[in-house]
Amino acid sequence: MIEIEQLTKTYKTKYGTVTGVDNVSLTVGEGEIFGIVGYSGAGKSSLIRCINLLERPTSGVIRIGGTDLTKLGSGQLRKSRLKIGMIFQHFYLISQKTVYDNVAFALRAAGTPAKKIRPRVEELLEMVGLADKRDVFPGQLSGGQKQRVGIARALANDPTVLLCDEATSALDPNTTLSILRLLKEINRKLNITIVLITHEMNVVKEICDRMAIMQGGRVIEEGAVYDVFASPQTELTREFISSVVSFDVPEQVLASVRGTLVRVLFKGDVAGEGVIADMLQRHAVKGNFLHGAIEYIQERPLGIFIMELTGERGAVTDALEYLQSRRAAVEVMNHGR
């Protein structure tokens, strides 16, 4: 659906040339929700604005549905952009127009016949849960309601792609969750491909299928959300994940450990099984749980536990081998003293 090949975007400043996006290649499948994560300045906003050519790339290729947007003339590009909806952090609603007219504006701008505008707007407002707000002005709406108007407006011309530029950053946690669930519902109902950028891993964890981590204009890690959470490959990814799933053990607790300190990770269904209890029954070791939890990512359990094992060295080794035989990933953090 979306193919980005060796995309680079540079900017001329009074201090010289700055690279916002540095040779990025990504593929987003049809109907997928793809998250792009990074701190401010990572290049994610530049990247998403290049996807619909709000900013023209310095070099590289952007294909949507097989069409290279960078090769289109202005007329063809305007037509292609009708199939790329976009929602923003700050809503950008027209304060002097009602909710109805804000959504209708996108249809009128696209040349939609007048007789088709009203039923389409009413359909969209019903979809985003604002049918009772059609004659209200933006100033009378909450932040979440304003974003729902923005989503309805972005969907007005029946796009195949929806780009979300920090769409929930200005919202409180509960409202964020409701907007994410709405986006997921729209994705499943319309099979619309969604690309969202964010600096919040909770957003990605909640609705994304796959994700990429950006730093310094480059993609430094990419994969299925579950796999990235289960086995982060870079320090930055681990830092982002720790903001959602924290398994840090206080230093004073670690200082008191005399046995073998291990981190045990269970993926999928095995996370819900009593593997550790079985291990303790089968082997002459004792276990002291220091930290742990089971998280659900894409409705799949991911169990991470930190524990101290005490016993004879051979018994501890056998216990760890048993855990590995039960499809657990085991990391020895330090051996017994």
Side-chain angles (χ1 to χ4, degrees):
M1 165 53 73
I2 302 174
E3 299 169 284
I4 302 170
E5 295 180 3
Q6 298 180 320
L7 184 72
T8 295
K9 174 63 180 177
T10 60
Y11 301 90
K12 301 287 187 182
T13 74
K14 63 181 180 180
Y15 303 108
T17 300
V18 175
T19 300
V21 182
D22 189 1
N23 196 35
V24 166
S25 295
L26 289 171
T27 300
V28 181
E30 182 178 357
E32 189 170 57
I33 305 180
F34 192 94
I36 300 173
V37 183
Y39 289 124
S40 178
K44 57 189 189 299
S45 289
S46 294
L47 176 60
I48 201 169
R49 290 172 66 85
C50 282
I51 292 176
N52 62 357
L53 265 66
L54 284 179
E55 294 191 12
R56 184 166 285 275
T58 305
S59 62
V61 174
I62 300 170
R63 295 190 192 92
I64 296 183
T67 299
D68 184 355
L69 299 189
T70 64
K71 297 290 194 295
L72 299 181
S74 58
Q76 292 173 308
L77 182 57
R78 281 195 297 272
K79 185 176 180 181
S80 292
R81 279 188 181 139
L82 292 177
K83 293 301 179 183
I84 307 172
M86 192 162 186
I87 58 176
F88 305 89
Q89 176 181 356
H90 298 297
F91 321 128
Y92 297 121
L93 303 180
I94 304 170
S95 60
Q96 297 84 5
K97 292 183 179 292
T98 64
V99 166
Y100 177 95
D101 286 328
N102 265 276
V103 179
F105 179 82
L107 291 162
R108 294 189 182 107
T112 304
K115 65 180 180 180
K116 293 185 177 181
I117 290 178
R118 179 168 182 164
R120 179 59 175 161
V121 173
E122 291 178 346
E123 175 189 14
L124 290 164
L125 293 181
E126 184 71 34
M127 184 185 299
V128 301
L130 291 179
D132 60 334
K133 303 292 184 183
R134 69 185 304 278
D135 299 319
V136 168
F137 289 89
Q140 300 170 274
L141 301 176
S142 66
Q145 290 170 332
K146 290 177 182 177
Q147 194 57 283
R148 287 171 182 266
V149 178
I151 292 171
R153 181 183 57 192
L155 296 175
N157 293 300
D158 196 24
T160 57
V161 173
L162 180 62
L163 306 179
C164 307
D165 188 357
E166 296 278 10
T168 59
S169 294
L171 306 176
D172 64 74
N174 287 337
T175 305
T176 290
L177 186 59
S178 72
I179 293 297
L180 293 177
R181 287 175 175 170
L182 173 61
L183 289 174
K184 191 169 186 177
E185 180 184 344
I186 289 168
N187 164 260
R188 301 297 180 246
K189 182 177 180 180
L190 304 180
N191 195 40
I192 189 171
T193 303
I194 298 177
V195 179
L196 61 85
I197 66 168
T198 183
H199 60 272
E200 301 172 288
M201 284 295 280
N202 259 326
V203 170
V204 173
K205 176 175 175 283
E206 183 66 30
I207 67 167
C208 290
D209 303 305
R210 291 195 307 123
M211 64 179 292
I213 302 284
M214 289 191 71
Q215 183 179 39
R218 288 180 170 269
V219 170
I220 63 170
E221 188 161 352
E222 178 190 356
V225 171
Y226 188 93
D227 294 338
V228 171
F229 268 80
S231 304
Q233 301 300 303
T234 68
E235 184 58 38
L236 181 61
T237 305
R238 285 188 283 272
E239 183 179 320
F240 272 115
I241 291 172
S242 70
S243 68
V244 179
V245 184
S246 177
F247 293 100
D248 293 332
V249 179
E251 287 295 328
Q252 60 267 33
V253 174
L254 294 178
S256 67
V257 171
R258 294 294 179 268
T260 299
L261 186 66
V262 296
R263 179 185 286 109
V264 186
L265 184 145
F266 298 101
K267 298 181 183 180
D269 294 340
V270 72
E273 299 175 1
V275 176
I276 292 178
D278 291 345
M279 177 268 290
L280 293 174
Q281 289 180 344
R282 290 168 178 263
H283 300 277
V285 295
K286 293 182 179 180
N288 177 27
F289 284 94
L290 302 178
H291 208 341
I294 296 178
E295 291 285 333
Y296 286 85
I297 300 168
Q298 297 175 319
E299 300 180 353
R300 295 172 61 198
L302 176 66
I304 306 176
F305 302 90
I306 297 175
M307 59 187 302
E308 175 189 14
L309 293 179
T310 56
E312 295 293 331
R313 178 62 64 90
V316 170
T317 299
D318 290 344
L320 295 179
E321 289 177 351
Y322 173 77
L323 290 176
Q324 291 171 328
S325 74
R326 294 289 299 272
R327 295 184 291 143
V330 179
E331 175 193 353
V332 176
M333 302 172 68
N334 70 264
H335 289 287
R337 301 175 185 177

